Amino acid sequence: LCAFFHFQNMYREDIRTMVEETKNSSDPFSAFTHTNTMSAILITAYSVALAGGGLGTITMSFVLVKMNTLSVTTTAIINLVVVHSLLLLTVPFRLHYYISKRWVFKMPLCRLVSAMVHIHMYLTFLFYVITLVIRWLIFFQWKDKVEFYRKLHAMAASAAVWLSVMIFVVPVLYFEYGRSGSYNDTTCFKFHKELRQESVKALNYFIIVAAACITCALLALQIFILVKVARKLSTSLWSHQEFWAQVKNLIFICVIIVCFLPYHLFRAYYIQHVNDFDQLESYNEVFLSLSALSCLDLLSFVLSGS
């Protein structure tokens, strides 16, 4: 009889523990909410970015070492290698989290890894725009070539960009990003509470509109240039180097459209419905993971001979 009551007490205790664990796991702010399908997509996307991006970064680094040019385009590509490398250093932490479904590192590292994908996306976007503008200046013969007169000038220009990021972006992310709410130490990349602030919403809307408008302008101008080249070289279009040079410019714009634009378009819907259902957060993470695939651009440049 004593054994029976002892077993009954143990059973009640187990039931109580299971109920508490169920409550904890159902808390959207303290549990890993991605389904197996979403986790598989995220793991695949970041694994491809890590493998292809790592190979492209290493290959492009060897190519750049052999080059002796001070062009603005080359300087932009060097900075692109740096920003891709910084993102790729944080990708293993993301993969560990999506595979183990538990964040075992400190929360400051979580904020850094989470912020890095955004910093990477917008710096990559900036370097793309710089590269395209320089190529278009040369195409319209406003400049025969755009070069720095000394390597020190190229280093100073690059340092100015990175210093701006360190001064204006990093402090804001460190002191404000992920600070407006309480987050569980075992979960990561769940900072959507920040979107409750009207100032954060306004900033997101501004970035979405700016990114969409700039992308449309870049695409329209590149199409205009391609049409102009096609009319000029109608008889020898497919064999002319100038035409293929402009086609290669589309690599930058295609990366923006495929990797960056979907996230921004979905972001507008996500901000309005962030609290409607938990799975929406997983969709946002999937669209964000597309931005990491932009690391494959360096590999495509090498393979295409650009």
Side-chain angles (χ1 to χ4, degrees), residues 74-298:
T74 303
T75 303
I77 297 300
I78 292 173
N79 282 278
L80 205 56
V81 171
V82 174
V83 73
H84 284 348
S85 299
L86 291 176
L87 174 69
L88 294 176
L89 289 175
T90 67
V91 169
F93 296 102
R94 281 185 172 271
L95 290 175
H96 180 275
Y97 175 65
Y98 293 136
I99 294 172
S100 66
K101 300 182 180 181
R102 181 181 179 86
W103 185 257
V104 297
F105 310 100
K106 299 295 182 181
M107 188 52 62
L109 182 59
C110 171
R111 289 199 298 268
L112 175 62
V113 173
S114 181
M116 190 60 223
V117 71
H118 297 280
I119 295 174
H120 166 266
M121 177 165 50
Y122 294 116
L123 279 178
T124 300
F125 188 93
L126 174 63
F127 294 132
Y128 281 177
V129 172
I130 292 174
T131 303
L132 287 170
V133 168
I134 295 303
R135 291 190 174 199
W136 290 338
L137 288 176
I138 297 173
F139 172 79
F140 288 110
Q141 296 181 349
W142 292 338
K143 292 282 186 179
D144 292 335
K145 58 182 179 179
V146 182
E147 291 187 348
F148 293 106
Y149 294 106
R150 297 181 180 178
K151 289 186 178 180
L152 182 62
H153 295 166
M155 293 176 61
S158 301
V161 174
W162 287 100
L163 190 60
S164 299
V165 173
M166 296 298 295
I167 293 176
F168 298 107
V169 179
V170 173
V172 173
L173 291 174
Y174 180 79
F175 290 109
E176 299 295 334
Y177 189 68
R179 301 280 186 174
S180 65
S182 57
Y183 298 97
N184 190 282
D185 289 337
T186 61
T187 57
C188 193
F189 316 128
K190 292 173 65 67
F191 299 125
H192 50 278
K193 291 181 183 179
E194 314 294 325
L195 294 175
R196 296 173 182 173
Q197 302 180 47
E198 292 301 322
S199 60
V200 176
K201 284 185 179 181
L203 178 60
N204 273 266
Y205 283 132
F206 173 78
I207 293 174
I208 291 168
V209 172
C213 290
I214 293 174
T215 302
C216 291
L218 294 175
L219 181 61
L221 185 54
Q222 187 59 58
I223 292 175
F224 169 77
I225 291 174
L226 283 171
V227 172
K228 186 175 181 179
V229 172
R231 289 178 177 176
K232 178 182 176 182
L233 308 171
S234 56
T235 57
S236 58
L237 180 64
W238 301 105
S239 61
H240 205 282
Q241 185 177 0
E242 185 178 356
F243 172 75
W244 289 110
Q246 294 303 323
V247 170
K248 288 177 180 179
N249 283 349
L250 285 174
I251 295 178
F252 295 99
I253 301 176
C254 287
V255 172
I256 293 174
I257 293 175
V258 174
C259 297
F260 299 156
L261 196 58
Y263 169 74
H264 286 86
L265 297 179
F266 177 78
R267 186 77 171 172
Y269 176 83
Y270 177 67
I271 293 172
Q272 291 294 323
H273 303 276
V274 62
N275 295 319
D276 289 358
F277 56 97
D278 297 338
Q279 202 58 37
L280 198 63
E281 182 191 355
S282 295
Y283 299 150
N284 184 67
E285 284 294 315
V286 169
F287 279 106
L288 185 61
S289 69
L290 292 178
S291 68
L293 295 178
S294 63
C295 292
L296 301 176
D297 58 356
L298 297 178

Side-chain angles (χ1 to χ4, degrees), residues 13 35 100 176 302:
E13 185 65 26
T35 63
S100 66
E176 299 295 334
V302 174

